[in-house]
Amino acid sequence: MLRTEDRALLTGAARYVDDVAVLTGAAWAVFVRSVYAHAELRHVDTAAAQGAPGVVAVCVAADLDLPLAGAMGGDGKMDRPRLATGRVRFVGEPIAVVVAQTRAQAYDAADLVVVDADPLPPVVDPLAALEPEMPLLFPEFGANQTTGPVPAASGDGWPDAEVVVRTRLRHRRIAPAPMEPNGAVAVPEGDRLTVYASTQSVFGVRGEIARALGVDENAVTVRAPAVGGGFGAKGGVYNEQVVVAALARRLGGAVAWTETRAENLVNMTHARAQIHDVEIGAKRDGTIVGLRIRTVADVGAYPIRGAFIPMVTRFMASGCYRIPAIEALAVIVVTNTTPTGPYRGAGRPEAAAMCERSVNVLAGALGLDPIEVRRRNFVAADAFPYRTATGATYDTGDYHAALAEAVRVSRYDEWRAEQATRRTRGDRRQLGIGLASYVEVSGRGGEYGSVRVDLDGSAT
């Protein structure tokens, strides 16, 4: 059965940002981006670009005078400029913008912008960024972290623990890479502005554009045409969207911007980028008594959207298990890399991987089958609603029944026997068996509506 939107998508009738740009006759914006991970900006020469064919405008930060994008932490000293000023902090950070009548003219003129910068030593490893001798991304703040240092592992606090196992897990950063990169078209209409954006958050984009331009939100309309993938990475506001809106108001005509794939890979927020040092305490029969996680979260060059994700990881740290004591602490670290943000779970996959790997390591240390450790620690069906040590309330579930069915349909016991046989024979081809369980958040956010019927029959 086709969904409402499927026919337009399948027949090519759907309109994306690029289609809107053509229909509105928009001028094209192209951003001049940093080729350095870390550098002091000395001067940006736009003279040659200004005189290039078809060029409508060339702007740097001082020309637009837009307010900074607020950071999560850093006491305002890590807020991000819409176009780089003073310093660039990651490869791909926008420094200037060129607007021309055609996209080709804009790209040609952008090549004529000369950026004079003094390279600085980059900091790309989040653990190294915490070392006192490392260069600072924000010298005025005085540290590469927005939070205090995470205490060292202690092993204390679990009097019932007979075994404590420790492990480190590193979640590598990934690039979301949706089919359609980021893009926006801003169309001024008198005192109003309509922005077509490839976004998952029309109201978020509207609010930030209105704030940056100093206008009432009701003067800005944001519409999402067909969107070629988002996965959370398009759930926030990008500086380019704000800059394009400001340019459209400044120039009095429609302005469009779409990323190339190369731009998208360095400019769209990356994801994951967490390092977990985990301790899990248990009795010798496999009953878990405590979990301690110390997280180093790499948020890239600016602590914008990525800074809240470790809180979600902490919230979901208990997984499917009955763990009476959980301690989860995080340090937020800036590095000279693409800023991070939500993607496909936004902290929950990190929690699941951390929890499941730790339980498997525990099983190995105790000489127990990983299935058996799960059986002994899953939340019982009659315990719901169940509140975890991190404050999450699970409404309902039957994890034991789900596990039993998974064991049955996968023929788990047969594969374990085959695995043991191959090991005994010393076969060249061995057999690995992986298993994992997880809990997902649902029903968060959403919209609210109400209807009131008065005694006179009127409704609101």
Side-chain angles (χ1 to χ4, degrees), residues 268-303:
M268 177 171 278
T269 52
H270 290 176
R272 310 298 185 236
Q274 291 186 13
I275 300 171
H276 297 147
D277 286 315
V278 186
E279 296 174 278
I280 186 167
K283 297 180 180 180
R284 294 198 181 277
D285 67 0
T287 303
I288 299 171
V289 299
L291 178 68
R292 183 176 290 113
I293 313 115
R294 288 167 174 79
T295 300
V296 173
D298 176 7
V299 296
Y302 298 93

Side-chain angles (χ1 to χ4, degrees), residues 79-439:
D79 291 356
R80 181 178 173 182
R82 307 296 177 173
L83 296 173
T85 56
R87 180 178 290 212
V88 290
R89 296 182 173 89
F90 70 97
V91 172
E93 183 168 10
I95 299 170
V97 60
V98 176
V99 183
Q101 294 172 357
T102 70
R103 194 184 330 217
Q105 289 172 333
Y107 274 108
D108 288 344
D111 287 340
L112 300 177
V113 175
V114 178
V115 177
D116 183 9
D118 288 333
L120 296 169
V123 182
V124 296
D125 183 274
L127 295 178
L130 296 172
E131 298 298 328
E133 70 276 7
M134 293 302 288
L136 298 176
L137 273 71
F138 300 88
E140 60 275 23
F141 184 70
N144 285 330
Q145 64 213 56
T146 67
T147 54
V150 174
S154 65
D156 298 331
W158 304 325
D160 296 335
E162 297 171 334
V163 176
V164 176
V165 298
R166 297 177 177 87
T167 188
R168 169 172 285 184
L169 296 97
R170 183 185 286 261
H171 302 267
R172 301 289 180 178
R173 65 168 47 222
I174 58 175
M179 290 184 293
E180 180 196 27
N182 260 326
V185 181
V187 184
E189 300 164 333
D191 293 334
R192 298 186 53 78
L193 185 69
T194 300
V195 178
Y196 301 84
S198 182
T199 182
Q200 299 169 252
S201 179
V202 290
F203 294 108
V205 173
R206 181 185 73 165
E208 187 65 6
I209 287 176
R211 185 185 76 84
L213 300 184
V215 300
D216 189 274
E217 285 191 9
N218 292 324
V220 180
T221 299
V222 176
R223 295 174 177 167
V227 175
F231 316 119
K234 290 182 182 177
V237 184
Y238 285 86
N239 281 355
E240 290 86 349
Q241 295 165 335
V242 175
V243 170
V244 166
L247 288 168
R249 289 191 78 213
R250 177 189 179 100
L251 300 173
V255 177
W257 156 75
T258 55
E259 290 175 327
T260 64
R261 177 58 62 192
E263 285 179 295
N264 178 263
L265 290 172
V266 296
N267 189 63
M268 177 171 278
T269 52
H270 290 176
R272 310 298 185 236
Q274 291 186 13
I275 300 171
H276 297 147
D277 286 315
V278 186
E279 296 174 278
I280 186 167
K283 297 180 180 180
R284 294 198 181 277
D285 67 0
T287 303
I288 299 171
V289 299
L291 178 68
R292 183 176 290 113
I293 313 115
R294 288 167 174 79
T295 300
V296 173
D298 176 7
V299 296
Y302 298 93
I304 308 292
R305 298 178 68 216
F308 82 89
I309 293 176
M311 294 184 285
V312 181
T313 301
R314 175 192 180 280
F315 188 65
M316 300 303 298
S318 193
C320 297
Y321 305 96
R322 185 183 62 255
I323 305 177
I326 299 177
E327 179 185 277
L329 302 173
V331 57
I332 307 301
V333 180
V334 291
T335 60
N336 293 119
T337 57
T338 300
T340 60
Y343 171 75
R344 301 290 290 183
R348 305 193 292 281
E350 294 91 320
M354 175 277 300
C355 191
E356 293 303 288
R357 176 58 182 157
S358 299
V359 168
N360 286 346
V361 171
L362 174 63
L366 295 172
L368 295 172
D369 191 294
I371 289 288
E372 188 57 36
V373 174
R374 285 164 172 79
R375 285 176 177 146
R376 298 179 187 184
N377 290 283
F378 271 178
V379 178
D382 60 2
F384 292 93
Y386 178 77
R387 186 173 177 84
T388 72
T390 62
T393 298
Y394 299 171
D395 55 357
T396 186
D398 192 341
Y399 304 158
H400 288 275
L403 179 64
E405 181 64 5
V407 168
R408 184 189 70 81
V409 299
S410 67
R411 305 189 345 255
Y412 179 82
D413 294 334
E414 295 177 33
W415 288 114
R416 280 297 185 196
E418 172 67 15
Q419 182 185 56
T421 299
R422 292 191 189 189
R423 289 177 176 175
T424 300
R425 291 197 307 245
D427 286 5
R428 182 176 179 181
R429 290 187 177 182
Q430 293 294 316
L431 177 64
I433 300 174
L435 63 141
S437 58
Y438 73 99
V439 175

